[in-house]
Amino acid sequence: MKVYLDTADLGFIEYAFDKHPDVAGVTTNPSLIKKAAGKDFSVKKLDSYITQILEIAGEGNPVSLEVTARDKDGIVRQANNLFNKYNDIAGNVVIKVPVNPYTNGKSSLDGLLAAKELHEVGIPVNMTLIFTVYQALVSAEFAEVAMVSPFAGRIDDYLRQKEGIEFQKSDYYPANGVLGPNGYPISDNGIVSGVHLVYDIARIFKKKGLPTKVLAASIRNPRQALEVAAAGADIATLPPSVFEEYSTKGKAVVIEIPTQEIDQRFYTLPTNRNIPTNYIAHPKTEEGIEKFTKDIIPEWEAICNGELN
Ligand code: G3P
């Protein structure tokens, strides 16, 4: 499994690529850009900051940049702006697109339709905010995206919240799930943990021979990083705190892999444009869109829109 850095912090990116030559990419999102940029970033400064991230990561190490638009044409336009502006630097730009952007508060297929158009013109897409196997499968089969990002930690949050289990953000959640009051593991669409979600996606991609990479995201602790590796993730993107621990002392952990069978229904997809919108809806995708949208800073939006002055 390859490791990417889940941060837009230039200092950390510089440090990690210098100290750990095996780091293979970077993922950003509007919240991470807001966190890294602080208060006094002009559009020009943010532009140079992004340029430096791409240079440090270098050729062959993909850097995901996320659009802020929520409608198909807006996503395609911004993706082209970002790709045309930045990809010449090191040839490593990947455009992050939400699988279901909830345009005007309503579940929509705009992310998938945009990603398909981008694939057709050769722009690689990282389909983000994936919380179900179906969202991943339709992204890979219909839109032929380069990678999908299942949010392992946020699914674990969701499962715990369903049962009122208290937790800290970095707490480990068992890959095989936690038994609920009815004696069965707490589950969501048959998924019992973030690691299980990654496992089912990786397994179905393999079974179907799909080239789309599984990029495990929202990783909260080093043990979860090891478990997604064992579950078949091609890549895990790690925030700085997890990266530090994973790269120094992570390897001595016992790994249990969930063994549940994939539900047969995942093997059949509706044909092309007849994908029902509700098939790709998920409350955590909707919540993720709300959070990212709140965190969009005007300077990043300006860059996405190609307004650089
Ligand atoms: O890559 C997605 C990630 O940044 C979200 O992480 O911890 O906010 O769920 P988290």
Side-chain angles (χ1 to χ4, degrees), residues 75-211:
I75 294 169
V76 170
R77 183 176 39 78
Q78 289 190 344
N80 273 286
N81 289 342
L82 291 170
F83 194 79
N84 294 337
K85 166 145 186 57
Y86 292 118
N87 197 51
D88 279 353
I89 296 166
N92 55 356
V93 171
V94 173
I95 303 298
K96 224 169 166 187
V97 174
V99 64
N100 183 340
Y102 286 86
T103 315
N104 300 322
K106 280 198 190 135
S107 181
S108 83
L109 296 173
D110 288 41
L112 281 168
L113 297 173
K116 187 176 175 66
E117 277 191 33
L118 295 171
H119 168 73
E120 281 160 6
V121 296
I123 296 182
V125 168
N126 172 358
M127 194 63 104
T128 193
L129 288 168
I130 298 279
F131 291 94
T132 69
V133 177
Y134 190 82
Q135 288 176 331
L137 193 50
V138 80
S139 301
E141 286 205 320
F142 171 75
E144 297 178 73
V145 296
M147 46 188 96
V148 290
S149 289
F151 275 35
R154 290 196 194 183
I155 268 290
D156 294 342
D157 297 347
Y158 188 57
L159 295 168
R160 284 184 277 219
Q161 280 155 359
K162 274 189 173 189
E163 290 301 328
I165 301 170
E166 288 187 12
F167 62 98
Q168 301 296 314
K169 191 169 179 181
S170 62
D171 286 353
Y172 173 71
Y173 191 81
N176 284 328
V178 167
L179 293 187
N182 59 5
Y184 291 99
I186 307 162
S187 64
D188 178 61
N189 294 310
I191 293 299
V192 302
S193 70
V195 174
H196 183 199
L197 175 65
V198 170
Y199 174 78
D200 272 6
I201 294 170
R203 210 176 109 168
I204 198 166
F205 281 11
K206 196 168 173 198
K207 188 172 174 99
K208 285 176 157 271
L210 296 165

Side-chain angles (χ1 to χ4, degrees), residues 289-307:
I289 285 288
E290 273 170 26
K291 282 189 180 166
F292 285 155
T293 304
K294 269 193 205 133
D295 281 345
I296 296 169
I297 56 171
E299 293 79 10
W300 177 241
E301 180 142 44
I303 289 180
C304 290
N305 287 330
E307 296 154 3

Side-chain angles (χ1 to χ4, degrees), residues 230-247:
D234 299 291
I235 308 150
T237 187
L238 308 181
S241 56
V242 178
F243 175 81
E244 288 288 17
E245 253 192 279
Y246 177 83
S247 50

Side-chain angles (χ1 to χ4, degrees), residues 221-287:
N221 52 65
R223 178 166 179 175
Q224 191 181 38
L226 286 163
E227 289 184 346
V228 294
D234 299 291
I235 308 150
T237 187
L238 308 181
S241 56
V242 178
F243 175 81
E244 288 288 17
E245 253 192 279
Y246 177 83
S247 50
T248 52
K249 55 177 175 168
K251 312 272 161 172
V253 181
V254 177
I255 301 163
E256 288 175 47
I257 305 172
T259 51
Q260 275 167 264
E261 288 301 307
I262 300 174
D263 190 322
Q264 265 312 112
R265 73 195 142 101
F266 292 131
Y267 289 117
T268 330
L269 274 179
T271 49
N272 283 353
R273 282 171 194 273
N274 298 325
I275 302 160
T277 316
N278 62 347
Y279 275 38
I280 59 151
H282 192 282
K284 291 299 276 185
T285 307
E286 185 172 6
E287 180 198 83

Side-chain angles (χ1 to χ4, degrees), residues 1-6 214-217 219 224-225 228-229 233-238 246:
M1 181 181 75
K2 290 184 176 173
V3 171
Y4 289 4
L5 305 172
D6 196 22
V214 181
L215 194 176
I219 300 293
Q224 191 181 38
V228 294
D234 299 291
I235 308 150
T237 187
L238 308 181
Y246 177 83

